[in-house]
Structures are given as structure tokens and as C-alpha cells.
Amino acid sequence: MRMTITDAMLPSSSPLRLNTSYFSEMIPALYKAYPDKMMEINIYAVSYPITSFSSFGAQMNVTGAVEVVVIGAETVFNLNVLLTCLGENTAIGNLDASVLQPIMK
């Protein structure tokens, strides 16, 4: 599982921009090394997701990492951020298996 987020994917109305100028206050070393450069963020799983099901619903646990890439730079600026996301979903009622048949072909 891997996802890349680019500046073009952000709404034009968003104050957040994926460039080193925007992050200059939070990560001064990044801006100093790469002034006014575009960036992209890679989010990826570092292990397989763990999914469990019970009478209360479904639960998924995903552990991932974040990598910041400065476009045009020779090296990757790695933030070494480890993410653990836990999602739960509960449905009320019964699921009719015939609903799944068209997508399971």
C-alpha cells in the first residue's frame, strides 16, 4: 500500500501548499537546503494491515510511514514519522449476500 500526495491534489483554496517555503517555519533545515522547491508526500504501509471482524463490526489496523520528497533534489528528506491508524466500522442490520455477487465475479 502506497499513496503519493502532490500539491496538484490539494484544493486551490487550501492554505496548505506542498513546497519548502510553506514548511520553512516547521522544518527550517528543509527550506535552507532546498529553498522554494515543490514537494510530494509518500505515505506507505510498513507492514500488512490487520483486519478483524466481530459481531460489533470490522476493525482495521494499519502501520505506515511518511516520506517527504523534494522534487528535483538528489536525496530524500525523510521525516521518520511512524503512523498507526485504527479504523472501525459498525453496520446495523443484515447483509444480503446477493448484493456482493456482481462484484465477486
Side-chain angles (χ1 to χ4, degrees):
M1 247 191 291
R2 185 178 189 96
M3 176 184 203
T4 299
I5 301 171
T6 64
D7 190 69
M9 296 168 77
L10 301 176
S12 59
S13 60
S14 172
L16 171 67
R17 303 298 354 145
L18 290 182
N19 62 46
T20 56
S21 299
Y22 181 85
F23 289 92
S24 63
E25 301 258 336
M26 291 178 275
I27 314 170
L30 179 66
Y31 180 75
K32 186 176 179 182
Y34 308 103
D36 203 29
K37 297 286 185 184
M38 296 306 295
M39 302 168 18
E40 59 185 35
I41 297 174
N42 295 318
I43 302 170
Y44 55 94
V46 295
S47 62
Y48 291 106
I50 299 169
T51 306
S52 61
F53 299 92
S54 72
S55 59
F56 299 108
Q59 180 176 355
M60 181 182 281
N61 190 335
V62 179
T63 302
V66 175
E67 178 181 73
V68 175
V69 178
V70 176
I71 299 172
E74 293 178 14
T75 59
V76 173
F77 187 87
N78 196 336
L79 286 180
N80 293 324
V81 175
L82 188 62
L83 302 173
T84 300
C85 301
L86 178 64
E88 295 185 23
N89 189 4
T90 304
I92 299 173
N94 295 323
L95 176 63
D96 183 358
S98 64
V99 174
L100 299 176
Q101 287 176 349
I103 62 174
M104 302 212 31
K105 290 182 179 180

